[in-house]
Amino acid sequence: MLLHALMVWCLNKMMHHYSGKKSRQLLLSAFTTPATLAQLSIQEWELLVRMLRANKLLASFAARIELTHPDLKIPAKVAENFQAAQRLADYRKKLVLWELNRLNKVLAELDIDVIVLKGGAYILQGLHMSVGRLLADIDILVPKQDIARVEKHLLAHGWQTTQHDEYDQQYYRNWMHEIPALRHHERFIEVDIHHTILPLTSRLHPDPRRLFAGAVAVAGYDCKVLSTYDMLLHSAVHLFYDAELNASDLRDLLDLHELFSLFSSQDVQFWKKLEKRAVELELQRPLYYAMYFSKQLFNTEIPTDVLVASKGRPLYGVRVFMAYCVPLALLPENPDYPQKKVAFIRWLLYLRSHYLRMPLTLLIPHLLKKSKSRLQANQ
Amino acid sequence: MKIKDIPFRQLLKAAHSRAGLCIDFGMCVVRLRSRENDFLQALALLYQDFQVVEGQFIDFHIDMQRPVNYRRWMQAQIVFSINGAKPFDPFPVSHALPLFEWGLNWCIAKQGHHHLMLHAGAVEKNGKAIIFPALPGSGKSTLSAALALRGWRLLSDEFGLVRAEGGLLQAMPRPIPLKNASIQVIQDFEPSVVLGPLFPKTRKGTVAHCQPSTDSAERCKQLVKPAFVVFPQYQADSQTVLEEVLPHYAFLKLASNAFNYEVMGRTGFERLTDIVNSCICFNLTYSDLDHVIARLDGMVSQ
């Protein structure tokens, strides 16, 4: 009896090891040193699949492994899960490509500049990281003076608004960098139409005209995509100045890691040019964070002197705070052992993200209004 | 070890523990954690011939727990959570079993894209499987239950799972949810049928689950080749009429009624083409269960 109790206690303790640090380590080494996957037990595989799935990374992880380690022995059950996730991601990619095709056709009639952002752009450019990447929607950027025309034109061609609440509509139009998402009534993919890359109320104000000036054409499309540097900077600013920095944002950091690795190998002057462009767009701080955390979590090859010399490097205290909080918030937890510490840190970073998005005089009434309508919805 | 061979107290202990109760359903292993003893008792009855396993890869981590608010005690509710996420609104605690069944189906439909998932019942006898694709209300659950009670192996009453590689049918035998009048029909048809508790006022009316046979549960990992596709339509007081249909007609009906035909892309098209080309496909109108079963028995004994 006593022995049994002791064994149960020990087993619990052993399993408990997978609660914090160890489960995060499992996920990170799956990305940084995939060769070690060969030694995983079936329970470790299971936990890895669970964490990847919860963060919508299962399909893109499977695609990475297929590309870089095609000979890796994967347990049959895991392979099944990989296959199923990849099928779904391929299908969604097909839907996104079709939506891009339709958008391209309809927007070409307006003769304005349209830039496809983020995931859609990775697909259009055929970047290998777009394989298996689950897309929720398509983001496009159009000049501010044209946004009303774009919206009207799309509404006339079968797209419909997805926000029916008057307050939300006004909120988007007054303060955000985008209008409420549209969706074609016969299709599933939402289209977010932006006129700049950060909320109007944000602390940073990159000039969208510079983005349009640098945009590059895509073969077979009238739409364009951002230049290499702007693509990276947009991804960085989105993650560190617009997102709430929880586990579902880990994918964005992984994008950054891939973009850094890909583009830095193509140009010896890459880091210098990137820093220069960040200064032009006033995005040094998000670039610093992107470089710092990509290197910290995914071992991205970024020269240390680039980081130290970065003009976006924050004060020591801020660096320590972010270096502690961001990895904890971004990395998924073992779903069986959620930690209070992590929930608290995510809450802090949630507050930070809102603080960066708008001044308190706007933020507080907005949050009050939101929690009130949430309460009413619950009753 | 089978669920029925484990003392109920021990099952409860497992379901209450962190490690949970792991059940092998053939195509997937589910880890269930719950403290609802009434629910677990019904579950243990309906799944009595399924294996409890340890140390295997778990596909679905399902918790059935009460919410952390006053609805824990007052007008108590139950929450279905999968891998820590809660995709549905809570149910009244008394309806935990239908919620679990429905939730598990949802999980399979959402993640099972290594199969072409037809919305169909499926049964097997003499190594020949019949797929019953149909819309709700056509009587496929009742028909599947009646066949299962006459010695056919139940593959599924809901999912015709066609493996992406090879095109064989994967069994997913589960308790068959009989709705409203079907409950009495099946009880009259086979008085020895084992039914779970009666759940009144679900979204589909009154529901009772019919226990899958020992044979169906034991052979849940055994794949089988589809031999017939039968589109059933219950019609009161009608004769049993089996009318052969052309492959392209069957193809369209199967594809438009599948859960993931589009997600499967080319593979979906190929598997379905194989099925309609290798199977004989029928439209079936029926009202008398004994009569239709005799006809179907005849088809698989040739």
Side-chain angles (χ1 to χ4, degrees):
Chain A
M1 195 65 186
L2 201 71
L3 196 67
H4 178 77
L6 195 70
M7 267 171 64
V8 168
W9 185 80
C10 284
L11 268 171
N12 267 334
K13 267 284 161 204
M14 273 160 65
M15 283 169 58
H16 210 86
H17 274 155
Y18 265 101
S19 63
K21 216 171 175 175
K22 222 172 156 190
S23 64
R24 285 190 281 273
Q25 201 51 51
L26 175 71
L27 187 100
L28 280 180
S29 38
F31 279 100
T32 53
T33 48
T36 56
L37 290 171
Q39 277 110 50
L40 294 192
S41 70
I42 195 75
Q43 279 74 27
E44 286 165 324
W45 269 112
E46 180 192 305
L47 178 59
L48 181 62
V49 168
R50 286 180 81 184
M51 292 193 294
L52 289 168
R53 193 196 303 285
N55 296 288
K56 303 201 186 323
L57 280 169
L58 189 56
S60 54
F61 180 76
R64 283 170 75 98
I65 294 299
E66 211 174 82
L67 189 77
T68 60
H69 293 73
D71 300 326
L72 188 78
K73 260 192 94 66
I74 299 171
K77 271 290 198 175
V78 178
E80 267 180 15
N81 277 278
F82 279 2
Q83 194 196 90
Q86 279 177 290
R87 278 233 168 74
L88 190 63
D90 288 348
Y91 171 64
R92 294 210 45 109
K93 185 173 169 181
K94 220 185 289 176
L95 294 183
V96 166
L97 268 171
W98 178 238
E99 192 65 34
L100 283 170
N101 173 301
R102 297 292 85 190
L103 276 173
N104 189 62
K105 183 170 181 266
V106 169
L107 293 180
E109 296 162 9
L110 290 181
D111 197 29
I112 55 166
D113 280 333
V114 178
I115 295 179
V116 179
L117 300 170
K118 291 171 57 191
Y122 307 154
I123 292 182
L124 288 183
Q125 293 222 300
L127 301 182
H128 73 84
M129 60 201 259
S130 73
V131 181
R133 194 179 180 280
L134 266 184
L135 275 175
D137 45 30
I138 293 176
D139 298 285
I140 61 171
L141 181 69
V142 299
K144 190 166 188 197
Q145 69 270 20
D146 294 322
I147 201 161
R149 270 174 76 211
V150 168
E151 186 180 17
K152 212 174 138 202
H153 197 64
L154 288 179
L155 288 174
H157 284 80
W159 276 265
Q160 296 169 338
T161 186
T162 55
Q163 289 288 349
H164 298 287
D165 183 86
E166 186 55 30
Y167 175 79
D168 287 345
Q169 280 276 353
Q170 286 312 317
Y171 171 77
Y172 267 93
R173 289 176 199 280
N174 292 340
W175 311 118
M176 284 291 106
H177 49 317
E178 56 186 320
I179 58 171
L182 300 182
R183 189 175 61 226
H184 193 277
H185 68 94
E186 287 170 347
R187 299 192 290 269
F188 301 107
I189 304 292
E190 285 188 4
V191 186
D192 287 336
I193 306 167
H194 306 250
H195 51 79
T196 180
I197 55 173
L198 275 177
L200 303 176
T201 50
S202 171
R203 296 285 184 283
L204 301 178
H205 308 92
D207 186 349
R209 280 170 302 187
R210 287 177 184 273
L211 301 176
F212 281 102
V216 292
V218 186
Y221 283 83
D222 298 306
C223 300
K224 294 179 173 179
V225 295
L226 292 175
S227 72
T228 307
Y229 303 102
D230 293 355
M231 196 181 269
L232 244 166
L233 290 168
H234 176 226
S235 185
V237 80
H238 176 75
L239 178 59
F240 291 102
Y241 272 74
D242 202 12
E244 286 162 12
L245 287 174
N246 55 41
S248 61
D249 298 318
L250 182 65
R251 192 185 67 169
D252 290 344
L253 190 64
L254 200 61
D255 286 346
L256 281 162
H257 162 69
E258 299 275 1
L259 291 171
F260 281 134
S261 311
L262 180 70
F263 295 145
S264 66
S265 65
Q266 293 170 349
D267 184 352
V268 281
Q269 295 285 311
F270 173 77
W271 299 107
K272 226 174 163 176
K273 291 183 189 168
L274 181 62
E275 183 74 22
K276 188 166 159 265
R277 185 62 175 169
V279 172
E280 280 170 19
L281 290 168
E282 299 168 43
L283 297 176
Q284 304 98 309
R285 178 65 56 89
L287 174 63
Y288 174 82
Y289 285 141
M291 295 193 293
Y292 183 88
F293 291 110
S294 178
K295 191 179 167 83
Q296 188 190 8
L297 295 183
F298 297 116
N299 299 338
T300 321
E301 283 180 32
I302 299 174
T304 311
D305 51 327
V306 169
L307 268 171
V308 175
S310 167
K311 295 192 179 62
R313 199 161 174 244
L315 292 174
Y316 178 75
V318 180
R319 279 199 326 257
V320 171
F321 172 79
M322 291 292 276
Y324 178 73
C325 293
V326 171
L328 282 176
L330 280 184
L331 290 170
E333 295 185 273
N334 181 337
D336 287 343
Y337 300 95
Q339 289 178 296
K340 289 214 171 64
K341 174 177 81 178
V342 172
F344 177 67
I345 283 170
R346 285 189 181 148
W347 180 72
L348 283 182
L349 291 177
Y350 171 82
L351 291 184
R352 170 191 174 272
S353 77
H354 274 77
Y355 171 71
L356 290 175
R357 279 154 73 106
M358 49 171 60
L360 289 176
T361 46
L362 280 176
L363 178 60
I364 291 167
H366 172 64
L367 288 182
L368 282 175
K369 168 84 191 166
K370 273 288 168 195
S371 32
K372 195 176 148 202
S373 55
R374 206 166 300 162
L375 270 177
Q376 279 165 351
N378 279 348
Q379 276 162 9
Chain B
M1 211 200 278
K2 278 188 179 182
I3 286 184
K4 69 176 169 195
D5 299 330
I6 300 173
F8 186 59
R9 281 189 55 172
Q10 212 174 313
L11 275 182
L12 288 186
K13 216 170 148 192
H16 292 187
S17 74
R18 260 186 193 279
L21 178 65
C22 301
I23 307 172
D24 190 350
F25 290 86
M27 80 150 303
C28 61
V29 176
V30 173
R31 185 195 72 184
L32 174 65
R33 300 191 300 188
S34 179
R35 293 186 165 271
E36 297 309 316
N37 294 353
D38 290 349
F39 157 63
L40 291 166
Q41 192 167 13
L43 187 98
L45 171 73
L46 293 170
Y47 286 103
Q48 64 168 6
D49 290 306
F50 287 78
Q51 296 284 335
V52 172
V53 291
E54 238 174 276
Q56 289 197 20
F57 183 92
I58 293 162
D59 297 85
F60 302 112
H61 301 77
I62 296 175
D63 291 340
M64 300 283 298
Q65 308 288 14
R66 296 192 186 198
V68 198
N69 58 30
Y70 73 98
R71 297 303 287 267
R72 198 176 191 83
W73 305 283
M74 286 170 68
Q75 294 174 300
Q77 290 180 325
I78 189 100
V79 178
F80 178 97
S81 69
I82 165 81
N83 206 10
K86 299 176 176 65
F88 314 121
D89 287 337
F91 267 40
V93 79
S94 57
H95 282 33
L97 183 75
L99 176 64
F100 172 76
E101 287 295 306
W102 181 68
L104 181 53
N105 283 347
W106 181 87
C107 294
I108 294 166
K110 208 159 151 67
Q111 291 180 20
H113 304 297
H114 46 301
H115 296 95
L116 169 64
M117 294 184 268
L118 303 174
H119 189 192
V123 293
E124 178 257 346
K125 195 172 187 180
N126 301 336
K128 293 179 182 169
I130 303 185
I131 303 175
F132 293 117
L135 294 170
S138 57
K140 73 175 155 55
S141 290
T142 319
L143 186 57
S144 306
L147 283 160
L149 290 165
R150 288 289 182 269
W152 288 63
R153 166 158 82 108
L154 176 71
L155 301 176
S156 172
D157 80 295
E158 182 79 8
F159 283 107
L161 298 173
V162 183
R163 287 177 73 92
E165 269 110 53
L168 294 178
L169 283 179
Q170 164 85 57
M172 181 68 201
R174 302 263 298 283
I176 301 176
L178 299 169
K179 289 134 211 156
N180 305 318
S182 300
I183 302 168
Q184 193 59 48
V185 169
I186 289 297
Q187 275 176 328
D188 293 343
F189 175 77
E190 179 54 63
S192 71
V193 62
V194 180
L195 294 182
L198 216 57
F199 298 102
K201 292 185 190 161
T202 73
R203 278 177 306 172
K204 296 192 166 179
T206 301
V207 170
H209 296 79
C210 170
Q211 184 192 58
S213 70
T214 305
D215 176 56
S216 305
E218 283 175 350
R219 290 162 67 196
C220 65
K221 284 184 198 284
Q222 195 178 323
L223 308 178
V224 58
K225 202 172 149 39
F228 300 97
V229 178
V230 175
F231 300 99
Q233 184 57 59
Y234 173 81
Q235 204 178 308
D237 305 320
S238 66
Q239 299 286 314
T240 303
V241 182
L242 271 165
E243 189 184 13
E244 193 169 340
V245 293
L246 293 169
H248 60 256
Y249 169 88
F251 185 103
L252 281 181
K253 262 186 114 166
L254 280 164
S256 60
N257 204 14
F259 289 106
N260 68 340
Y261 176 70
E262 278 154 347
V263 175
M264 295 300 283
R266 188 195 174 102
T267 311
F269 175 79
E270 288 170 352
R271 290 295 82 79
L272 218 47
T273 311
D274 296 345
I275 288 175
V276 295
N277 283 336
S278 66
C279 293
I280 310 177
C281 309
F282 295 101
N283 271 338
L284 164 69
T285 316
Y286 73 99
S287 61
D288 186 304
L289 287 171
D290 283 311
H291 212 237
V292 69
I293 289 171
R295 292 286 296 274
L296 298 175
D297 272 330
M299 272 163 46
V300 294
S301 62
Q302 284 161 15

